[in-house]
Amino acid sequence: TIFDGHTASVSAAALPTRTTNMVTVSADDLSVRVWDMNKENGQVPVTEVYYERKNELPLCVAMHPNGRIVAFGGDESVTEYAILNSELQPIQSIGIRNALSSKSSDALMNIFPAGVIQYSNGGHLLAVATGKYVQIWAREEIDYSRVRSGVPLRVMDLTDHAANVTSILFSKDDTTVYTCALDGSVFQWDFGWKKKVERKFGSYRKGAALMMCLSPITRTLAVLTELSLDGVPTAAQKRFSSRRGSVLSKSSSFTEGAGDKNDPSAVTPA
């Protein structure tokens, strides 16, 4: 089926798992469209245009597992919307320019826009990659501290990558988080609810890790990589280096084949 509605190239899309709604974003025609994949040509029931507010155009998008909520990532925040019959109704906005915790206990300030958004399988967690950092919120828990009163509670900061994070995955039971980045690093994190997060294992390959896919049965993680020869930047690294929020490091603290080679869920390059 061909869905014809945008007048320019599509820059981001989110597919549902339980409904027939699909959301697409075009940075060129400055619009967001919601499609009903059950209808001929999608019959766009909702269109949001950003002609007069270009700075609010989403940079990335993710669909909640229930298919009725969509999250748009921007320069300074991630905003959730409810998909209604004829409009997108704002639910809440979460600021992403935050001071983050790290292993060294030193505060790191995020200055990067949202690059990747991912809901957990249960829909109660929302992960956002901002440059080389990943922030995870508990959507149904409210932070009543003085600084961030009334917004979802941020429960995890992942700060070990040395370049832009390109993909985030949750395990089937949402107890493990997988992340990969442009520097070739792939990490597995044990989700410690309100506890210090420890990286379980990592792997590094010379090149860029672009995309991941996790088998729900065997827990095998397949990673799409673009290998680099003699340290020459890959095509993906060059593309990202020209974007806002690019943070590709010239060096990395990881070595070829790093990580726990005895780990049964070790990474498999695709």
Side-chain angles (χ1 to χ4, degrees):
T1 302
I2 297 176
F3 300 107
D4 187 7
H6 285 290
T7 59
S9 59
V10 174
S11 54
L15 296 173
T17 57
R18 301 176 187 173
T19 67
T20 59
N21 290 328
M22 178 178 67
V23 179
T24 56
V25 178
S26 173
D28 292 327
D29 71 8
L30 300 175
S31 70
V32 170
R33 298 175 185 269
V34 181
W35 312 77
D36 185 345
M37 295 188 294
N38 258 352
K39 297 180 180 179
E40 185 178 356
N41 193 35
Q43 291 189 6
V44 185
V46 181
T47 300
E48 187 85 7
V49 295
Y50 292 80
Y51 299 134
E52 298 181 357
R53 46 197 177 103
K54 297 180 181 180
N55 62 319
E56 298 180 20
L57 182 72
L59 302 175
C60 51
V61 60
M63 184 84 75
H64 189 278
N66 66 16
R68 294 296 179 182
I69 297 175
V70 62
F72 294 138
D75 279 331
E76 298 184 354
S77 64
V78 170
T79 304
E80 288 188 305
Y81 292 85
I83 301 175
L84 306 181
N85 290 332
S86 59
E87 65 176 338
L88 294 174
Q89 181 66 43
I91 299 175
Q92 63 181 346
S93 183
I94 305 172
I96 57 177
R97 298 293 179 95
N98 302 309
L100 311 179
S101 58
S102 64
K103 292 186 300 182
S104 62
S105 298
D106 295 330
L108 302 173
M109 179 58 70
N110 171 58
I111 59 173
F112 304 108
V116 179
I117 307 176
Q118 180 65 52
Y119 281 100
S120 64
N121 293 295
H124 59 298
L125 300 173
L126 178 63
V128 181
T130 53
K132 61 182 179 179
Y133 307 129
V134 176
Q135 305 173 56
I136 301 180
W137 284 269
R139 297 179 56 255
E140 299 173 0
E141 291 204 19
I142 303 300
D143 186 350
Y144 291 104
S145 66
R146 292 181 182 179
V147 178
R148 303 189 57 77
S149 178
V151 300
L153 182 65
R154 198 172 82 243
V155 293
M156 291 177 68
D157 294 332
L158 311 180
T159 60
D160 283 13
H161 287 289
N164 291 68
V165 173
T166 55
S167 183
I168 306 170
L169 285 180
F170 286 88
S171 62
K172 186 177 181 180
D173 58 3
D174 292 331
T175 60
T176 304
V177 183
Y178 301 90
T179 58
C180 68
L182 277 181
D183 62 347
S185 57
V186 181
F187 295 146
Q188 173 182 319
W189 312 79
D190 285 336
F191 183 73
W193 188 262
K194 298 181 183 179
K195 298 178 181 179
K196 185 177 180 180
V197 181
E198 295 292 342
R199 193 178 78 227
K200 186 175 181 181
F201 84 97
S203 176
Y204 177 76
R205 288 182 164 269
K206 294 179 179 179
L210 305 178
M211 189 182 300
M212 298 182 294
C213 184
L214 179 66
S215 168
I217 300 176
T218 63
R219 294 195 57 151
T220 299
L221 182 69
V223 181
L224 176 64
T225 59
E226 190 174 54
L227 299 183
S228 172
L229 299 178
D230 299 325
V232 177
T234 67
Q237 290 171 338
K238 291 178 180 178
R239 287 195 303 271
F240 269 84
S241 66
S242 63
R243 298 182 183 179
R244 286 180 301 163
S246 175
V247 68
L248 185 62
S249 175
K250 293 182 179 179
S251 60
S252 173
S253 58
F254 306 100
T255 57
E256 178 78 24
D260 185 357
K261 296 182 180 179
N262 297 319
D263 195 302
S265 55
V267 175
T268 303

